[in-house]
């Protein structure tokens, strides 16, 4: 009877600590992890949480690791005003770099939170988000505090047992089946956000992943699609409470971070194809969508013009399978290099 009463008392204490931890009480977080993690079998061995006072000191993201364009984003994360952070833009703007660094910092500072990183296709996870997060851990000087496994693809924060899970959105059941050993998934990263199948599938992912806690951080990163009609460009154009959105480019990134080859390629494209440069490097959606050629003038061809056409041609694309059969009648003006 005494043993049963003692067990109930311990459960009540742990429940109180758990609730205080969810409310942001750092001391309660640490004590909860120290006492419960080992007794409940959440994590093994002596690496639960050391008695070093350093464990209770919040980990800060060094300013020298943050690209200038993301300093304001970093302040927004610390402010606690936002849940969703949308980062789009051009190549070399360090969207994924900042997100990986910020995610690891948040994980270390929130002992009850776990992280889930997703790509649309699971086979791309190891070479992208997994490698990027490992790089961020090295940059923050924390490599000894993390355990990396490939099967299953996971990263574990050894002082607390927090997990970083990796999943592909091509198998939604794998997302629903994630059961953290304690706490909840409080950090979510959707990399190459534009490659996901649309707003509705994304909403389903978020509903499955972010539940069980009072605070969460949801990051979306992607290169801006060329077409203004792409679903993700429409998605960020609609105001949403609790969302912080920013578009970045490479111009404010320290040159030594990008290298001479990257910068030379950007300048070359700028000189030979300004419109492609505007999209690829500046992150501007400058396409109408659905067109193969950009140099189009969309208007009615007048009867007067048609009366003067003397090089008329016909073409037929059979289509096959699901593609439509397409027939075209055109005139080519060789002197002006215009096709009507």
């Amino acid at each position: 009877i005494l043993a049963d009463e003692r067990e109930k008392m311990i459960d009540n204490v742990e429940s109180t600590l758990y609730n205080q931890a969810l409310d942001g009480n750092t001391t309660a977080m640490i004590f909860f992890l120290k006492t419960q993690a080992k007794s409940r079998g959440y994590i093994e061995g002596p690496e639960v949480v050391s008695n070093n006072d350093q464990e209770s000191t919040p980990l800060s993201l060094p300013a020298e690791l943050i690209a200038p364009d993301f300093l304001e984003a970093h302040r927004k994360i610390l402010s606690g005003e936002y849940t969703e952070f949308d980062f789009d833009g051009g190549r070399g703007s360090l969207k994924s770099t900042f997100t990986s660094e910020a995610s690891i910092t948040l994980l270390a500072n929130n002992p009850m939170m776990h992280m889930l990183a997703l790509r649309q296709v699971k086979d791309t996870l190891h070479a992208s988000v997994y490698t990027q997060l490992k790089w961020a851990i090295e940059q923050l000087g924390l490599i000894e505090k993390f355990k990396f496994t490939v099967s299953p693809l996971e990263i574990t924060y050894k002082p607390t047992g927090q997990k970083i899970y990796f999943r592909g959105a091509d198998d939604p059941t794998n997302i629903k089946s994630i059961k953290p050993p304690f706490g909840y998934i409080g950090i979510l990263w959707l990399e190459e956000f534009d490659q996901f199948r649309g707003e509705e599938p994304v909403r389903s992912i978020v509903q499955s992943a972010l539940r069980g806690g009072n605070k969460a951080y949801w990051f979306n990163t992607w290169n801006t699609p060329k077409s203004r009609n792409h679903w993700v460009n429409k998605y960020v154009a609609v105001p949403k409470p609790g969302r912080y959105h920013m578009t970045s480019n490479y111009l404010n990134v320290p040159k030594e971070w990008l290298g001479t080859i990257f910068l030379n390629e950007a300048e070359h494209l700028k000189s030979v194809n300004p419109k492609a440069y505007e999209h690829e490097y500046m992150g501007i959606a400058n396409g109408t969508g659905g067109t193969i050629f950009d140099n189009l003038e969309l208007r009615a061809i007048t009867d007067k013009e048609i009366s003067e056409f003397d090089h008329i041609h016909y073409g037929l694309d059979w289509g096959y399978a699901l593609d439509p059969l397409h027939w075209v009648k055109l005139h080519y003006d060789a002197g002006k290099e215009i096709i009507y």
Side-chain angles (χ1 to χ4, degrees):
I1 294 174
L2 289 175
D4 289 343
E5 291 298 323
R6 181 177 179 274
E7 186 67 25
K8 289 179 182 178
M9 182 180 70
I10 291 173
D11 286 342
N12 289 336
V13 171
E14 289 178 344
S15 177
T16 301
L17 287 171
Y18 179 81
N19 291 329
Q20 291 177 351
L22 288 180
D23 290 335
N25 187 320
T26 305
T27 303
M29 289 180 187
I30 295 169
F31 191 75
F32 174 84
L33 289 168
K34 278 183 177 180
T35 57
Q36 192 184 41
K38 282 182 73 175
S39 66
R40 298 293 173 133
Y42 290 155
I43 24 185
E44 299 177 351
E47 292 187 288
V48 180
V49 174
S50 73
N51 291 323
N52 192 330
D53 290 339
Q54 183 180 357
E55 296 294 347
S56 61
T57 303
L59 175 68
S60 61
L61 179 55
E64 61 269 19
L65 293 181
I66 306 175
D69 281 351
F70 288 92
L71 289 171
E72 180 63 20
H74 182 52
R75 284 191 284 268
K76 296 297 185 184
I77 292 172
L78 296 178
S79 73
E81 299 175 58
Y82 303 92
T83 296
E84 180 180 345
F85 297 87
D86 291 341
F87 302 137
D88 64 349
R91 296 176 182 173
S93 60
L94 305 189
K95 303 176 292 295
S96 298
T97 297
F98 171 75
T99 299
S100 62
E101 294 169 339
S103 296
I104 296 302
T105 305
L106 288 169
L107 187 81
N109 288 333
N110 294 275
M112 300 305 297
M113 286 187 183
H114 302 267
M115 178 177 177
L116 172 61
L118 293 105
R119 289 283 305 269
Q120 174 59 39
V121 180
K122 66 179 181 179
D123 291 343
T124 60
L125 289 166
H126 186 276
S128 56
V129 283
Y130 181 88
T131 303
Q132 180 64 54
L133 285 165
K134 186 175 183 180
W135 174 90
I137 291 168
E138 291 174 336
Q139 294 299 305
L140 291 167
L142 300 174
I143 197 70
E144 298 299 325
K145 293 194 174 187
F146 283 84
K147 177 183 177 182
F148 304 88
T149 59
V150 176
S151 183
L153 197 65
E154 285 183 0
I155 300 176
T156 304
Y157 186 44
K158 293 191 288 187
T160 59
Q162 291 164 272
K163 296 281 189 179
I164 302 177
Y165 302 97
F166 299 87
R167 294 291 188 274
D170 47 356
D171 188 357
T173 57
N174 278 338
I175 300 171
K176 294 181 180 180
S177 65
I178 298 175
K179 302 295 182 185
F182 60 92
Y184 64 100
I185 294 174
I187 306 167
L188 178 66
W189 181 13
L190 276 62
E191 168 71 321
E192 304 295 356
F193 188 51
D194 60 308
Q195 295 179 4
F196 287 77
R197 300 303 186 213
E199 187 173 349
E200 185 174 341
V202 166
R203 187 164 58 248
S204 177
I205 290 170
V206 175
Q207 291 168 349
S208 297
L210 297 182
R211 54 186 179 182
N214 296 325
K215 181 61 181 174
Y217 302 87
W218 165 22
F219 297 97
N220 300 318
T221 54
W222 71 98
N223 289 335
T224 307
K226 187 174 185 179
S227 171
R228 291 186 290 270
N229 294 324
H230 193 285
W231 76 265
V232 78
N233 288 331
K234 294 180 178 180
Y235 173 77
V236 294
V238 178
K240 178 182 177 183
R243 173 205 285 162
Y244 176 76
H245 170 232
M246 64 166 286
T247 300
S248 56
N249 59 61
Y250 75 99
L251 293 179
N252 292 326
V253 176
K255 294 182 178 180
E256 61 273 16
W257 291 13
L258 297 174
T260 304
I261 295 176
F262 179 94
L263 297 172
N264 288 345
E265 287 297 314
E267 287 303 309
H268 173 70
L269 186 63
K270 183 179 180 180
S271 64
V272 299
N273 193 338
K275 195 166 185 179
Y277 166 84
E278 189 179 59
H279 166 242
E280 294 177 22
Y281 287 92
M282 301 306 292
I284 298 174
N286 55 12
T288 56
T291 58
I292 298 173
F293 301 106
D294 291 324
N295 52 337
L296 300 177
E297 180 184 350
L298 303 178
R299 63 170 177 80
I301 301 174
T302 67
D303 291 339
K304 183 177 185 303
E305 288 173 320
I306 293 174
S307 68
E308 298 173 353
F309 290 169
D310 56 357
H311 290 86
I312 295 176
H313 304 274
Y314 303 89
L316 182 65
D317 183 347
W318 294 100
Y320 297 109
L322 299 177
D323 297 320
L325 181 145
H326 180 76
W327 176 82
V328 63
K329 179 180 180 181
L330 62 88
H331 164 70
Y332 175 55
D333 188 327
K336 297 179 181 179
E337 294 188 331
I338 296 176
I339 298 174
Y340 297 83

